[in-house]
Amino acid sequence: MNESEEERSEDLPGPRDVPGLPGKLRGELRELGRGMRIPNVDGATMAERVLAQIIAEAVPVPVAEPPGRAERVRAWARRRWRMLSAAVSGLLVVLVLTPPVRAAVAEWFDFGGVAVRYDPTASPPPGSPGAGPPGCRQGLTVAEAALRAGFDPVLPAGLGDPVAAAVSADRRVLSVCWRGIRIDEFRATIDPLFHKMTPVPAAHTEVDGQTALWFPERHRLTLKLLDDESRPYAPQVRAAGPTLLWQRAEGLTLRLEGVTTMERAVDIAESAD
């Protein structure tokens, strides 16, 4: 028994302290007590044992294994897809900002209330190739047409005084006519009023710095309008000659028909008040 064990054994009550205990029995108990060993559970010894137990029972931390072939292929595919997506997005931005491509995009979508579709096999309805656009048969004055339509038309200075004007039954389209030349004007709407089917892609140009489209060949023109009671009536289909299509800042869409060259059509459009 070491010194610490002896000190603890002396603190315990001895057999001689118990009254009425026979002397022989007290001696045997005293010998038994000397032979007992009390484990040291104090201080650092207990801490060391607990720590040793924790270390002995600790589960080893799994080590990350290198990715397999399938995972490497998937990671490579993800990287390639991100690179391809970024490249395509950048290309689309560049193309949309390029004037010729803006015209091509307009052929797939609506342009200020005019649906434009390019079809190389499309042919205009039969008619005389040299015939100009139809005249304004209502024979209204420009002031009368403006009163019916609810807006003042744009009048190019390069054409002189108009011969007549007209307004559609639904009062959405105001037309001004000169000899052999016609300008249709209307506010852009979600549902297209004019539908163009052209066998030749439209050329891109500008009018007063704004995007414009030039249709150099005869093409199919369909008008989908309403009657005076806002009910759709049978679409009007006819052949249209070379046409310039552009928009104004005040929200009007204009189509100039009857001029044979793009340069002349742009000059007339830019002379408008």
Side-chain angles (χ1 to χ4, degrees):
M1 182 182 301
N2 56 34
E3 183 179 353
S4 60
E5 291 174 347
E6 290 177 354
E7 292 175 353
R8 280 191 292 271
S9 65
E10 292 176 357
D11 295 336
L12 297 174
R16 61 179 177 274
D17 300 325
V18 181
L21 192 65
K24 183 179 180 180
L25 182 57
R26 283 200 301 268
E28 291 178 356
L29 291 176
R30 187 178 295 111
E31 291 298 327
L32 180 61
R34 290 193 182 100
M36 294 179 64
R37 297 184 61 85
I38 301 175
N40 185 4
V41 295
D42 292 338
T45 302
M46 176 59 72
E48 291 171 358
R49 290 183 178 180
V50 173
L51 182 60
Q53 186 70 16
I54 293 175
I55 294 175
E57 296 178 358
V59 179
V61 178
V63 179
E65 298 181 358
R69 177 181 177 85
E71 181 62 28
R72 291 197 301 270
V73 171
R74 286 193 293 268
W76 175 84
R78 287 194 295 268
R79 290 195 299 270
R80 296 290 293 180
W81 175 252
R82 286 195 294 267
M83 294 173 59
L84 179 61
S85 299
V88 171
S89 299
L91 180 60
L92 288 177
V93 171
V94 173
L95 291 179
V96 170
L97 295 178
T98 304
V101 179
R102 286 205 303 267
V105 171
E107 292 174 2
W108 285 94
F109 299 96
D110 299 334
F111 183 92
V114 180
V116 181
R117 299 294 180 264
Y118 163 61
D119 183 357
T121 64
S123 58
S128 174
C136 299
R137 297 184 177 90
Q138 286 180 321
L140 301 177
T141 66
V142 173
E144 291 171 340
L147 185 61
R148 290 192 184 187
F151 64 90
D152 293 325
V154 175
L155 300 177
L159 293 177
D161 295 331
V163 174
V167 177
S168 62
D170 56 9
R171 304 193 177 195
R172 291 192 292 176
V173 181
L174 190 158
S175 303
V176 183
C177 298
W178 292 261
R179 296 189 183 280
I181 296 176
R182 177 188 180 105
I183 293 182
D184 297 310
E185 307 180 17
F186 55 92
R187 294 187 178 93
T189 60
I190 297 177
D191 295 328
L193 304 180
F194 291 78
H195 295 255
K196 288 179 176 291
M197 182 72 73
T198 172
V200 179
H204 173 268
T205 185
E206 291 184 353
V207 173
D208 293 327
Q210 301 295 321
T211 300
L213 298 179
W214 170 250
F215 298 86
E217 301 292 337
R218 283 169 53 84
H219 54 277
R220 184 185 187 92
L221 177 65
T222 303
L223 284 74
K224 294 184 178 181
L225 303 175
L226 306 175
D227 60 17
D228 53 2
E229 295 182 0
S230 299
R231 295 175 303 187
Y233 57 78
Q236 302 176 18
V237 182
R238 66 175 179 86
T243 303
L244 178 67
L245 185 65
W246 79 101
Q247 288 184 283
R248 299 269 295 190
E250 56 266 31
L252 288 179
T253 298
L254 300 93
R255 58 177 305 277
L256 169 63
E257 182 182 356
V259 179
T260 57
T261 65
M262 183 177 67
E263 292 75 13
R264 172 63 176 153
V266 171
D267 289 342
I268 292 174
E270 291 185 338
S271 71
D273 295 333

